[in-house]
Amino acid sequence: MSDIQYLPGKEPHPCEYRMIFKNIDRAGWDPSIDCYLNDGGYEQLKKAIKMEPQAITNEVKASGLRGRGGAGFPTGVKWGFIPPNNTKPVYLICNCDESEPGTFKDRYIVHQDPHQLLEGMIISCFAVGAHTAYIYMREEFPEAATIMEKAIEEARAKNLVGNDVLGSGFDLEIYIHRGAGAYICGEETGLIESLEGKRPYPRIKPPYFPAALGLYMAPTIVNNVESLCHVKHIIEMGGGGYAQLGVARNTGTRILCVSGDVQKPGYYEVEVGKITMGELLNDVCGGPKEGRTFKACIPGGSSAKILRCDESFTIGQGDAEQSLSFFDIPMDFDTIAACGSMAGSGGVIVIDDSRKISWILNNLNSFYAHESCGQCTPCREGSMWMKKISDRIVGGHATPDDIQTLEDVAYQIDGRTVCAFGEASSWPVEAIISKFRDELTAETSEDNDDLSEEAKIQLQFISQ
Amino acid sequence: MDTPTTFPPFAVTAEIDADADESISHYPADKKRSAVLPLLHIIQRNFGFISKDATLWVAEKLGLEPMQVHEVVSFYPGLREHAPGKYHFRVCRTLSCAMAGSAELMDRLCELTGIDRSQSDSHHNPIAVSPCGQWSVEFAECLASCGTGPVCMVNDDFHEEIPADKAQELLNQYKA
Ligand SMILES: Cc1cc2nc3c(=O)[nH]c(=O)nc-3n(C[C@H](O)[C@H](O)[C@H](O)COP(=O)(O)O)c2cc1C
Ligand code: SF4
Ligand code: FES
């Protein structure tokens, strides 16, 4: 791969392992099918289409690939959930809603390397027996929608989609379906409702696991853009070969998106677990801004629980117990989870000592208050209350009790809602309060005691 | 809401009808309802927003109750019920862009275009239009480019790394 040149100023960091992002910012690269074919494109599809579909799923299982959309669920296992004696059509949906704050990776794939995604999707459709696939693309990617549509037409002209793909007898249509600016459409069942032409109110699981009861109540595989791209490389390397990348149970590469208070924010594709938080932030991203120190970090998209940069964590049990400082955390799914947060969507948001934590909290609360779909009461009301309380804190009108109220509200959302948005909105609050309680309390005053009428009413509803 | 608008009034042309039929063909014949969003996008692209007449047309076209279309229009932040300016700015409000100065960018854009945002809020009235009808602004949530904030969209164009002091430069690209 040493013959690949990147655009000036966009060269990958030496720590990176470019596989999914091999063609991003590549000199001389364009999104056309000719460019992709010249680079060995669609060879893996030719290989896969001669395999047994089940054998492809087995390779994906063997690869250990875990979904890159947020939950980290094993992709091959998910594919295996399609009921064995199913008689309905099977659908595949590519989740290109990319709306988790802090996440910016799928955007580059659909703008610069559309055929990699199509190749991954076609192989995946063949594996799961889907003859119709939709790319659910957020409305704010209008250019990408045009690029992907053109790519589909190019692929059709080469018999890579459409009837009888490459003479295999397999038929496949792929369509773009554009969203309309709602975060909840990233949640897979909300997405499906949206694709059915309704308000994107998520469905309750069980029973509505998409692999069994998805689009039009038929089995539906929903995967993230990046996850589907990996499938192509799994075919190329074999499941076992792919599993050599990364670390045990956390295989392959993943794209980390770093934003906020670092010298060099950006996207970095690394082997999962092969780089620590310290290496990522200090070496790859060039450390904190001039004269600043790192204060906190949200490691996996805005819904992930915040970590303090001066924290240490005890992980593992018995003989395997070890103590890790924040900077020693390897960037894999399991260790970040063991440290009480999640690797989520790979969006790493870095916060330095120039920021007030209350301001961060309020920005996040505003996001969730805006994006709650409103279907369940704890989430609809709670997200709004949390925003109102953090508005009071940043406005200097809060009392120390408000911090407790805020925490109580958060814990009354968590675990009581139809979809994981409830956790997504309350985890940041729970973590920020537990880790920065003193800083928040210092911004409140007993003198602000005269609660607003609304705050008094709110108090009546909180179990003490 | 009586600022001058630069969009034509809603009227179905043969081309729009054909576009709609093409979109409908992407879904199973008995699942036409799936084409609600695509049809609404076609309308918004051509007429700037979704009027009551347009809602009725979509309902008719897809065999739905008008309410089934309206509940979609009223839910999604990306669908508008009033005309925006000729150039509609969507500035990312979310954390990484806010850290990079997106609130300052919004303030500067309003200052330079004479837009009063004091009557706007995130939920019910998100869009503020300039008195001349040329410009409008709105906060958007994370536009998936957090590493290059502040970011914003102007109609369908995407712009990154636009601190407040580049606001004038950005506006110059869209001079009426
Ligand atoms: C509130 C919420 C928002 C989500 N947003 C996205 C998103 O923007 N993109 C995405 O791929 N997955 C998102 N997900 C995860 C999806 O529900 C789903 O798990 C994922 O698309 C599955 O793909 P994967 O297994 O390949 O990761 C979101 C989940 C929740 C609860
Ligand atoms: S948890 Fe929130 S976003 Fe999810 S279904 Fe309930 S109200 Fe909607
Ligand atoms: S926070 Fe602005 S693009 Fe993500």
Side-chain angles (χ1 to χ4, degrees):
Chain A
M1 290 212 294
S2 54
D3 54 329
I4 297 179
Q5 302 284 318
Y6 289 90
L7 298 172
K10 302 263 189 180
E11 297 87 355
H13 188 274
C15 282
E16 285 190 66
Y17 186 105
R18 286 282 182 112
M19 183 166 78
I20 303 300
F21 265 27
K22 185 180 92 175
N23 303 324
I24 304 303
D25 303 324
R26 184 170 165 181
W29 185 261
D30 66 61
S32 72
I33 197 166
D34 291 335
C35 188
Y36 189 70
L37 288 171
N38 281 336
D39 198 52
Y42 288 108
E43 287 302 319
Q44 304 319 315
L45 172 62
K46 287 181 194 157
K47 183 167 155 191
I49 207 108
K50 298 200 189 89
M51 293 167 69
E52 280 299 312
Q54 184 58 45
I56 300 176
T57 303
N58 290 345
E59 292 301 324
V60 174
K61 279 185 184 158
S63 75
L65 174 65
R66 295 169 68 167
R68 302 299 195 243
F73 192 81
T75 304
V77 176
K78 184 190 303 194
W79 292 7
F81 287 157
I82 297 175
N85 36 20
N86 169 58
T87 52
K88 297 179 195 163
V90 174
Y91 294 98
L92 184 134
I93 300 174
C94 169
N95 189 341
C96 185
D97 197 56
E98 187 148 64
S99 46
E100 173 79 6
T103 317
F104 46 103
K105 56 188 183 67
D106 302 340
R107 99 153 22 246
Y108 297 98
I109 298 171
V110 291
H111 282 89
Q112 296 188 33
D113 203 3
H115 287 285
Q116 179 184 206
L117 173 59
L118 286 184
E119 186 170 6
M121 281 183 74
I122 302 165
I123 298 171
S124 304
C125 286
F126 180 66
V128 303
H131 300 289
T132 308
Y134 295 98
I135 301 174
Y136 189 99
M137 185 174 285
R138 63 180 300 181
E139 183 267 339
E140 297 89 336
F141 288 175
E143 200 190 334
T146 312
I147 292 170
M148 285 302 318
E149 258 156 19
K150 177 154 182 263
I152 294 169
E153 285 321 306
E154 289 175 327
R156 180 190 304 283
K158 302 248 189 252
N159 191 216
L160 301 160
V161 292
N163 287 337
D164 193 19
V165 171
L166 293 172
S168 64
F170 176 68
D171 300 340
L172 174 64
E173 290 299 334
I174 301 181
Y175 302 107
I176 310 290
H177 185 97
R178 297 182 61 202
Y183 168 65
I184 200 58
C185 293
E187 197 283 334
E188 56 190 8
T189 60
L191 184 160
I192 287 170
E193 288 282 310
S194 175
L195 189 38
E196 291 187 0
K198 304 180 212 151
R199 284 188 168 196
Y201 290 151
R203 299 173 179 171
I204 196 146
K205 302 186 227 181
Y208 296 109
F209 289 107
L213 294 170
L215 184 62
Y216 313 130
M217 289 299 149
T220 304
I221 296 299
V222 184
N223 274 126
N224 171 259
V225 171
E226 186 190 344
S227 311
L228 290 166
C229 289
H230 279 280
V231 171
K232 170 198 157 165
H233 301 276
I234 291 168
I235 297 302
E236 182 166 2
M237 305 164 86
Y242 178 95
Q244 301 292 310
L245 292 173
V247 296
R249 291 183 308 281
N250 296 264
T251 57
T253 64
R254 87 171 299 182
I255 299 146
L256 298 174
C257 315
V258 186
S259 64
D261 298 322
V262 290
Q263 296 274 359
K264 283 186 280 184
Y267 38 82
Y268 304 99
E269 183 173 4
V270 294
E271 284 186 64
V272 183
K274 287 280 178 74
I275 180 173
T276 64
M277 196 61 104
E279 287 162 344
L280 177 68
L281 301 190
N282 287 316
D283 305 344
V284 179
C285 297
K289 294 193 172 162
E290 197 61 37
R292 291 290 164 198
T293 52
F294 290 138
K295 172 172 176 169
C297 173
I298 302 171
S302 65
S303 311
K305 288 191 175 179
I306 200 165
L307 302 173
R308 283 179 74 113
C309 298
D310 58 7
E311 240 180 310
S312 47
F313 309 87
T314 308
I315 64 163
Q317 280 171 346
D319 289 345
E321 184 175 301
Q322 55 164 325
S323 173
L324 275 184
S325 81
F326 166 80
F327 291 104
D328 294 335
I329 301 175
M331 300 301 287
D332 66 27
F333 291 94
D334 294 335
T335 317
I336 298 179
C339 294
S341 187
M342 65 174 179
S345 60
V348 179
I349 308 173
V350 186
I351 297 155
D352 73 19
D353 59 345
S354 70
R355 311 285 176 185
K356 277 188 178 172
I357 211 69
S358 57
W359 182 86
I360 304 281
L361 173 71
N362 194 44
N363 187 288
L364 293 175
N365 284 353
S366 305
F367 174 79
Y368 292 106
H370 186 256
E371 298 299 332
S372 167
C373 83
Q375 187 179 204
C376 18
T377 313
C379 172
R380 180 188 62 242
E381 302 301 318
S383 58
M384 214 42 154
W385 288 13
M386 293 196 299
K387 174 182 180 322
K388 285 182 176 164
I389 297 173
S390 60
D391 274 345
R392 288 209 288 277
I393 302 174
V394 292
H397 307 300
T399 65
D401 283 348
D402 275 328
I403 309 291
Q404 187 58 47
T405 308
L406 180 59
E407 193 172 28
D408 289 346
V409 173
Y411 280 103
Q412 290 189 62
I413 300 172
D414 186 349
R416 289 177 167 83
T417 58
V418 168
C419 86
F421 184 105
E423 283 74 43
S425 61
S426 54
W427 280 349
V429 177
E430 293 167 15
I432 287 177
I433 295 180
S434 85
K435 297 186 182 187
F436 293 95
R437 191 183 298 271
D438 293 347
E439 185 183 327
L440 290 172
T441 309
E443 282 190 63
T444 65
S445 162
E446 298 284 3
D447 299 340
N448 291 333
D449 214 12
D450 46 340
L451 290 175
S452 68
E453 282 311 305
E454 186 175 23
K456 283 179 200 152
I457 295 167
Q458 285 178 0
L459 271 181
Q460 297 170 7
F461 291 93
I462 293 171
S463 50
Q464 296 298 333
Chain B
M1 281 305 143
D2 27 359
T3 36
T5 168
T6 53
F7 292 96
F10 174 72
V12 181
T13 60
E15 198 190 333
I16 287 174
D17 204 41
D19 267 8
D21 288 333
E22 158 64 24
S23 292
I24 293 169
S25 76
H26 295 178
Y27 309 95
D30 60 338
K31 308 292 181 197
K32 274 177 151 183
R33 186 173 182 176
S34 280
V36 168
L37 278 183
L39 262 54
L40 292 171
H41 281 312
I42 294 172
I43 289 165
Q44 189 161 286
R45 191 168 61 238
N46 284 282
F47 308 105
F49 70 102
I50 295 152
S51 61
K52 189 172 157 231
D53 287 347
T55 300
L56 294 173
W57 179 75
V58 172
E60 165 101 45
K61 186 93 191 153
L62 299 178
L64 300 172
E65 293 298 324
M67 189 58 206
Q68 292 175 307
V69 179
H70 180 69
E71 68 182 11
V72 169
V73 176
S74 60
F75 182 90
Y76 289 94
L79 298 174
R80 300 184 287 260
E81 294 181 70
H82 301 287
K86 180 173 179 190
Y87 300 114
H88 182 53
F89 288 67
R90 287 191 273 180
V91 178
C92 175
R93 188 210 63 84
T94 318
L95 188 55
S96 305
C97 285
M99 290 165 83
S102 61
E104 294 76 3
L105 171 62
M106 175 62 99
D107 289 348
R108 185 66 60 80
L109 286 171
C110 291
E111 205 180 294
L112 294 171
T113 52
I115 293 177
D116 172 14
R117 271 194 85 246
S118 62
Q119 302 305 310
S120 304
D121 62 62
S122 61
H123 267 101
H124 303 292
N125 191 19
I127 298 178
V129 188
S130 67
C132 62
Q134 286 288 321
W135 312 101
S136 57
V137 293
E138 169 181 30
F139 269 128
E141 297 297 341
C142 182
L143 293 172
S145 188
C146 325
T148 57
V151 303
C152 72
M153 295 184 72
V154 185
N155 297 348
D156 275 357
D157 303 343
F158 178 69
H159 298 274
E160 47 197 342
E161 291 177 4
I162 312 283
D165 58 15
K166 287 207 188 147
Q168 183 65 61
E169 225 175 282
L170 179 66
L171 284 171
N172 290 345
Q173 295 181 37
Y174 295 95
K175 270 285 181 268

